[in-house]
Amino acid sequence: MEWQDLKSLNKDELTGEVLAVGEKKFRAGQIYGWLHKKLVRSAEEMTNVPAACKARLLENHPFYGVTEVERYESRIDGTMKFLFELHDGNMVESVLMRYKHGNSVCISSQAGCRMGCRFCASTLLGLARNLYPSEMLDQIYAIQRATGERVSHVVVMGTGEPFDNFEALCRMIEMLSDPDGLNIGHRNITVSTCGIVPKIYEFADRNPQITLAISLHAPNDEMRRELMPIAKRYSIRQLMEGAAYYTRTTGRRITFEYSLVKGVNDGREHADELAALLKGLNCHVNLIPVNPIRERDYRQSDQAGVAAFMQRLEKKHIPVTVRREMGRDIQAACGQLRKSYKDKMDHHHNNTEGSGKV
Ligand code: SAH
């Protein structure tokens, strides 16, 4: 297994390691509680665990987490965006959204992404690496610590493709929903995928209560292949069969995300094609006016276009909502912060290099 750091170990593994360094079993419960319930930031904070025990554990299981680098709070809706640094200098971003029903944290599953969706800022620099379970968890822990407010919902919809980091994702979910951790139930967790079809089947079998969101963005293969390279690997037909299996196995309603790009996928005929595709499936559609990114010239559908698309689906009895945009004033969407931070740093380095040469 790749991840052996302290906070990525589940209870059984931690117990094994505690016994292996010659300690009593109850220490494992103590340590697990410090890490995943009290959310300590360092081993020193685990005050009732003997120093020798901690030192021996840390030899093979380093204490990894995330460190806050930047923080923004929207003046419009209280949405907060965090940029975190990982132990090796990689950066990830996370968002806290405050709703009436509770606080929801959107986490990243990878540093970067290799899926290549055309409209997405997270994938522009490719994949740096997968996140460890601890690094996904610690985004949530750090936000709960920073705000002092309980996090009740988690969406894995930040940077990265969660099904491209599958085992770490499943481990993270196991620990997040543990009563000895934050105890966030599967029903309050949403995972969003671009559609790695075999993993949809596996996920249905292993995590039957999670809400699955599938990024569809096009009603036919031809258009989807233009927008999302993953569509070259799996056809929409295969994707729909996977989706049907998911709802059949789990009884859960699937969310289809559809980002509306002006003049590309937002026509009436596309709404009709989409309605035909989804007919009879236990699902609902979430329309997202695409967030324009600097590197591409995709434009957002206008309000009238969004409303017309929505009405067209409603007429065909497809449940549909328009995603409420949050944190617009703080670049809260889709990998923009990590990218702009990197651009800023690169610019800075180039400048200093330049002046050094002269
Ligand atoms: N890789 C996963 C999860 C991360 S992306 C997935 O593809 O689902 C989260 C959602 O934001 C996806 O639906 C993605 O297609 C969408 N998205 C990415 N960039 C966007 C943009 N610029 N505007 C609107 N939605 C975007």
Side-chain angles (χ1 to χ4, degrees):
M1 205 164 50
E2 286 170 71
W3 8 278
Q4 285 292 325
D5 67 293
L6 200 59
K7 222 184 280 184
S8 291
L9 302 179
N10 66 13
K11 266 189 281 181
D12 286 348
E13 290 166 353
L14 184 61
T15 305
E17 295 308 307
V18 163
L19 294 175
V21 301
E23 282 287 339
K24 296 237 166 59
K25 193 176 163 189
F26 79 94
R27 293 271 177 228
Q30 269 181 339
I31 295 169
Y32 197 89
W34 281 114
L35 295 172
H36 301 286
K37 227 181 179 67
K38 296 184 186 151
L39 315 183
V40 292
R41 263 165 297 186
S42 68
E44 289 88 78
E45 289 178 49
M46 306 195 273
T47 45
N48 61 357
V49 182
C53 169
K54 288 189 277 195
R56 292 206 53 195
L57 280 175
L58 289 172
E59 277 170 24
N60 294 318
H61 309 287
F63 194 104
Y64 289 161
V66 304
T67 308
E68 188 179 320
V69 177
E70 289 183 359
R71 178 199 298 202
Y72 303 88
E73 180 160 4
S74 167
R75 277 187 289 260
I76 305 171
D77 52 31
T79 296
M80 292 177 83
K81 178 138 192 172
F82 295 82
L83 185 70
F84 292 119
E85 185 170 8
L86 309 177
H87 69 92
D88 60 357
N90 271 301
M91 298 281 175
V92 295
E93 54 189 276
S94 325
V95 181
L96 166 71
M97 289 158 291
R98 295 179 164 115
Y99 295 106
K100 285 203 193 75
H101 64 256
N103 281 351
S104 181
V105 168
C106 174
I107 62 167
S108 297
S109 54
Q110 298 178 310
C113 184
R114 54 177 180 165
M115 294 297 126
C117 298
R118 293 286 300 163
F119 44 81
C120 180
S122 293
T123 200
L124 289 167
L125 302 165
L127 175 69
R129 70 167 170 86
N130 280 331
L131 298 194
Y132 304 155
S134 57
E135 293 167 329
M136 287 186 249
L137 289 169
D138 214 38
Q139 295 170 58
I140 306 158
Y141 297 177
I143 289 177
Q144 184 157 309
R145 278 190 318 243
T147 59
E149 297 168 29
R150 184 172 175 264
V151 174
S152 56
H153 292 71
V154 170
V155 297
V156 189
M157 235 183 234
T159 296
E161 168 49 43
F163 284 180
D164 192 35
N165 188 14
F166 195 75
E167 288 307 322
L169 172 77
C170 291
R171 167 63 59 91
M172 182 278 289
I173 290 170
E174 172 198 334
M175 295 170 77
L176 186 61
S177 55
D178 193 309
D180 290 330
L182 288 191
N183 195 14
I184 297 178
H186 281 198
R187 285 168 173 272
N188 288 352
I189 302 172
T190 300
V191 172
S192 177
T193 179
C194 65
I196 302 180
V197 173
K199 295 291 185 226
I200 295 178
Y201 288 89
E202 201 178 332
F203 200 64
D205 294 337
R206 283 173 60 171
N207 294 287
Q209 290 298 312
I210 307 275
T211 301
L212 185 67
I214 296 178
S215 301
L216 190 57
H217 304 319
N220 59 61
D221 283 320
E222 197 190 348
M223 186 187 298
R224 196 161 187 265
R225 284 184 199 128
E226 297 266 310
L227 293 170
M228 306 175 71
I230 191 72
K232 294 176 189 150
R233 193 128 51 99
Y234 306 105
S235 67
I236 287 192
R237 221 194 106 149
Q238 290 171 308
L239 185 58
M240 289 303 141
E241 283 168 5
Y245 180 83
Y246 195 86
T247 59
R248 215 167 45 237
T249 317
T250 66
R252 310 279 295 162
R253 189 166 82 155
I254 292 197
T255 299
F256 286 100
E257 290 154 285
Y258 195 102
S259 295
L260 288 163
V261 188
K262 194 180 176 87
V264 175
N265 63 359
D266 66 344
R268 277 157 191 253
E269 66 280 19
H270 304 133
D272 292 344
E273 210 177 347
L274 181 62
L277 186 68
L278 301 181
K279 195 161 178 268
L281 194 67
N282 180 17
C283 70
H284 102 278
V285 175
N286 197 210
L287 297 175
I288 316 159
V290 79
N291 254 296
I293 57 173
R294 211 183 334 123
E295 291 78 0
R296 307 261 189 269
D297 58 1
Y298 290 127
R299 283 180 306 142
Q300 211 172 63
S301 308
D302 48 45
Q303 263 184 344
V306 175
F309 199 94
M310 181 169 172
Q311 276 162 19
R312 206 90 186 168
L313 290 178
E314 277 173 341
K315 227 168 97 189
K316 304 258 165 90
H317 309 291
I318 305 289
V320 52
T321 48
V322 177
R323 163 115 29 113
R324 188 153 66 94
E325 191 177 31
M326 295 182 83
R328 159 159 256 198
D329 52 335
I330 55 168
Q331 293 200 65
C334 315
Q336 294 175 350
L337 180 60
R338 173 174 179 270
K339 177 73 172 54
S340 65
Y341 185 83
K342 246 185 152 271
D343 287 349
K344 205 162 71 190
M345 288 299 142
D346 290 349
H347 184 70
H348 175 74
H349 290 314
N350 288 343
N351 280 353
T352 38
E353 263 170 40
S355 58
K357 266 181 216 142
V358 173

